[in-house]
Amino acid sequence: MTRVAILYSGSLRNLPETIDNNLAHFEGMEIDLYFSIWDYIGYVDHLNAPDHFRAKRLLKGDEIITPDLIKRIVPPNINIKAIKIESYNPDNYKIELVNGSSPNLNAQYYKIWDCFSLLKEIEYDLIVRLRCDILLNNKMDHSTLLKSLNDNKIIFASKIWFNHLRQGGYDINEMVWISKLDLMRKACNIYNNADKINQIISSRNQTHKNYGENICCMNLEAEGIINNVSLFDFDYNVLR
């Protein structure tokens, strides 16, 4: 049976409303879940685009995240391999990028890398990095998915943000990516790649403040895997 590891990192947010949707994309596979998250819900009020929707917010906003809470959210037939919960302190997570970036991104990239580091010595056919608040509306045929990964591809959403598809350039969607182990390690390595990313920023004479989509893309360049990117229309929504 095909084995898949799903990596959830950052704030738990609306996982009670998204997890069934996420898992349905890998129905028929043996699924293991890994969590590296903060100890608070992390709801966000701002709707950034028309594809951001108001959630039901099934968890109380002041609820403290615990392993037992996560186990209640996850369907009983799904394996949870690791749960790591930490208190958020923005002073603990620093990435010094030329032209700066949002302080929240530093902690986000730390959690992405930390979650990848939780992977057990298990041979997975595919690894998925996901946010906890995203719905994926289009399913990729499993044979197509596995062929792409066997061709040494890492799959990203084709939509960078609302109504804007990736057509080259220096941006890429950072909400979901799927690959085998080696490419996933490199994609998740943003937190450790500030020096390499800064070299790219300086070589382009870039002057604007860095944001998530261009940092993610520059990391793929820094790791030498930008040409391994494959795009798929997940037609995602974000629940706020």
Side-chain angles (χ1 to χ4, degrees):
M1 180 179 289
T2 302
R3 301 202 68 174
V4 54
I6 300 179
L7 313 180
Y8 282 113
S9 59
S11 298
L12 194 68
R13 292 181 180 167
N14 294 299
L15 188 66
E17 296 178 62
T18 62
I19 190 164
D20 287 341
N21 163 277
N22 296 171
L23 296 175
H25 285 258
F26 308 99
E27 187 176 3
M29 298 183 181
E30 185 174 345
I31 301 172
D32 290 342
L33 300 184
Y34 294 81
F35 292 89
S36 179
I37 57 175
W38 305 117
D39 64 355
Y40 66 100
I41 297 294
Y43 287 139
V44 176
D45 292 325
H46 185 59
L47 299 179
N48 296 337
D51 55 0
H52 287 203
F53 295 158
R54 291 292 182 197
K56 297 176 183 177
R57 296 192 173 185
L58 301 177
L59 300 175
K60 295 179 181 178
D62 60 353
E63 191 155 4
I64 301 299
I65 308 303
T66 65
D68 284 343
L69 174 63
I70 293 172
K71 290 173 184 176
R72 291 200 302 270
I73 293 171
V74 173
N77 62 318
I78 302 299
N79 299 317
I80 300 176
K81 284 295 185 181
I83 299 175
K84 182 175 178 180
I85 301 172
E86 297 177 279
S87 296
Y88 175 64
N89 183 341
D91 294 331
N92 291 344
Y93 317 102
K94 299 292 186 182
I95 302 177
E96 300 295 337
L97 293 182
V98 175
N99 304 322
S101 64
S102 166
N104 292 333
L105 289 176
N106 300 341
Q108 174 182 315
Y109 298 143
Y110 161 74
K111 272 301 189 186
I112 289 172
W113 175 250
D114 188 66
C115 194
F116 175 83
S117 301
L118 295 175
L119 278 174
K120 305 297 184 184
E121 294 299 323
I122 298 173
E123 195 161 318
Y124 290 106
D125 299 289
L126 63 151
I127 303 172
V128 185
R129 184 262 155 177
L130 276 175
R131 288 168 47 138
C132 294
D133 58 0
I134 188 172
L135 295 172
L136 306 175
N137 299 318
N138 291 343
K139 293 184 181 180
M140 180 181 288
D141 175 76
H142 284 180
S143 61
T144 302
L145 170 62
L146 293 173
K147 181 182 184 305
S148 182
L149 300 187
N150 287 332
D151 289 340
N152 201 32
K153 296 296 184 180
I154 179 168
I155 300 167
F156 288 84
S158 55
K159 184 173 68 172
I160 300 174
W161 49 77
F162 179 73
N163 224 16
H164 185 84
L165 300 180
R166 185 172 197 271
Q167 297 176 331
Y170 300 143
D171 297 318
I172 200 161
N173 181 278
E174 61 169 353
M175 296 184 184
V176 51
W177 53 79
I178 306 173
S179 71
K180 290 195 171 184
L181 182 68
D182 186 53
L183 291 181
M184 185 60 66
R185 178 185 293 108
K186 294 176 180 180
C188 290
N189 203 30
I190 301 172
Y191 189 71
N192 303 308
N193 273 342
D195 289 345
K196 293 179 180 179
I197 293 171
N198 280 333
Q199 290 177 11
I200 295 172
I201 296 170
S202 298
S203 70
R204 291 180 181 153
N205 297 316
Q206 178 179 305
T207 58
H208 62 72
K209 185 177 181 179
N210 299 290
Y211 51 91
E213 290 82 3
N214 84 307
I215 295 173
C216 182
C217 188
M218 286 189 290
N219 178 68
L220 299 178
E221 294 180 60
E223 289 284 358
I225 59 173
I226 192 66
N227 292 327
N228 297 82
V229 167
S230 178
L231 301 176
F232 179 74
D233 177 21
F234 289 107
D235 188 30
Y236 64 83
N237 294 114
V238 177
L239 294 186
R240 293 298 202 187

